[in-house]
Amino acid sequence: MTGTGLFVVGLVIAALLAVAGVVTVAGRRGPAPTDVRGRFDRRASRTDRQRVQALADTTVEETETPEPAVVEAAEPSDPLLERDEVSATEYSITRRKFLNRSLGSLWGIFLGQFALAGLAFMWPRLGTGFGSPIAVGNFADLKAQIEQPDGTAIPLFVAAAQTWLVPFSQAEQLGSSFEGLPVVASDGSDIGLMALWQKCVHLGCRVPSCVPSQGFECPCHGSKYNLHGEYEAGPAPRNMDRFGVSIDGAGELVVLTGDVFETPRATSKTSRYPLGPFCV
Ligand code: FES
């Protein structure tokens, strides 16, 4: 599933959770506030009537003690008075609970969205786009396009893989920054192909190739790399990053754009640079 698909699923789940939360909270709200207020008024009225009656009895017969039980018994039977009474404290707690549950629901929805967004971001790309293996063409054809009769090379850019393809001698891999890494694909000959990520390792600008100097020169802050993407100058902290590569059964060069290899600034270079004027 793509990140967009997960995001849509997350929105649907969040909406269902919100509806469920509202229904749950609404179902627990209890009697409407108008009912509560009405009962308070009747109780207050009954208390007032009792006090007035008690005062009147005391005035007429000071020695006679009022009998609350008799007053209670004289109350008219009113169905409204038989309801469960809710105190002011209980009423305020109910409202507080409502607010707490609302805030809790919103917080839960936020956390759910955040978790789904994180999951979508980290979800492995199993499709055919960037981040997965990409077949970029027949290995022999690509190599023939890149290598020039005069011994120089014209790097080939493959937009789908965000990569520059450059030639690389397998013999030079030993002792280089790339020794032991699966970053050179070969059909058995010494010269194979390497796939450099187009992104500058300084701040991420796209690095163009410079055929005259036989290197890569970043227009943003002037970092320079040789034909194999080894650091030569500028603020870049390391060599250009590169992808894993392989050749499939049909002879196609496959760039594994999910396998990125970082290497430190090369101390022993595998390519001479510059071989001509700079571009930047
Ligand atoms: S982004 Fe390339 S040198 Fe700064």
Side-chain angles (χ1 to χ4, degrees), residues 200-207 218-225 234-236:
C200 181
V201 295
H202 179 223
L203 291 179
C205 289
R206 178 179 179 275
V207 186
C218 183
C220 292
H221 312 100
S223 287
K224 292 180 171 59
Y225 313 86

Side-chain angles (χ1 to χ4, degrees), residues 18-101:
V19 170
V22 169
V23 169
T24 303
V25 170
R28 294 182 179 179
R29 289 181 63 184
T34 51
D35 295 337
V36 175
R37 199 158 48 242
R39 287 200 299 280
F40 286 156
D41 292 341
R42 289 186 180 84
R43 188 172 61 176
S45 299
R46 184 181 61 187
T47 304
D48 288 341
R49 284 198 304 273
Q50 289 174 349
R51 284 178 181 160
V52 170
Q53 182 65 44
L55 282 173
D57 292 342
T58 303
T59 303
V60 174
E61 297 179 4
E62 290 187 1
T63 57
E64 188 175 332
T65 303
E67 294 291 338
V70 173
V71 173
E72 284 291 327
E75 283 291 315
S77 176
D78 186 343
L80 290 175
L81 296 178
E82 293 175 2
R83 292 186 187 178
D84 292 338
E85 294 183 353
V86 178
S87 68
T89 303
E90 289 172 326
Y91 174 64
S92 65
I93 288 175
T94 300
R95 183 168 53 188
R96 189 184 306 134
K97 281 182 180 177
F98 174 80
L99 291 174
N100 285 342
R101 285 169 186 158

Side-chain angles (χ1 to χ4, degrees), residues 126-277:
L126 303 178
T128 56
F130 185 77
S132 61
I134 298 176
V136 296
N138 180 269
F139 176 83
D141 293 344
L142 294 170
K143 192 174 159 185
Q145 288 182 58
I146 295 168
E147 291 185 311
Q148 302 303 303
D150 62 358
T152 62
I154 299 180
L156 182 65
F157 184 66
V158 181
Q162 299 183 18
T163 193
W164 287 105
L165 299 179
V166 295
F168 193 91
S169 166
Q170 286 187 304
E172 288 180 317
Q173 195 169 0
L174 289 174
S176 74
S177 307
F178 322 112
E179 182 174 353
L181 300 180
V183 293
V184 183
S186 173
D187 57 358
S189 61
D190 178 48
I191 303 298
L193 291 178
M194 189 176 255
L196 307 179
W197 195 352
Q198 66 165 355
K199 195 175 71 170
C200 181
V201 295
H202 179 223
L203 291 179
C205 289
R206 178 179 179 275
V207 186
S209 72
C210 179
V211 175
S213 68
Q214 289 287 279
F216 295 89
E217 298 170 3
C218 183
C220 292
H221 312 100
S223 287
K224 292 180 171 59
Y225 313 86
N226 65 26
L227 185 64
H228 296 155
E230 293 166 322
Y231 171 83
E232 292 285 352
R238 60 180 187 271
N239 298 329
M240 290 174 74
D241 296 337
R242 57 212 67 218
F243 301 115
V245 287
S246 65
I247 299 176
D248 67 14
E252 293 256 316
L253 176 67
V254 178
V255 179
L256 309 171
T257 55
D259 298 344
V260 180
F261 294 92
E262 298 180 3
T263 52
R265 288 180 175 180
T267 50
S268 61
K269 310 290 174 56
T270 58
S271 177
R272 287 199 303 128
Y273 174 87
L275 296 182

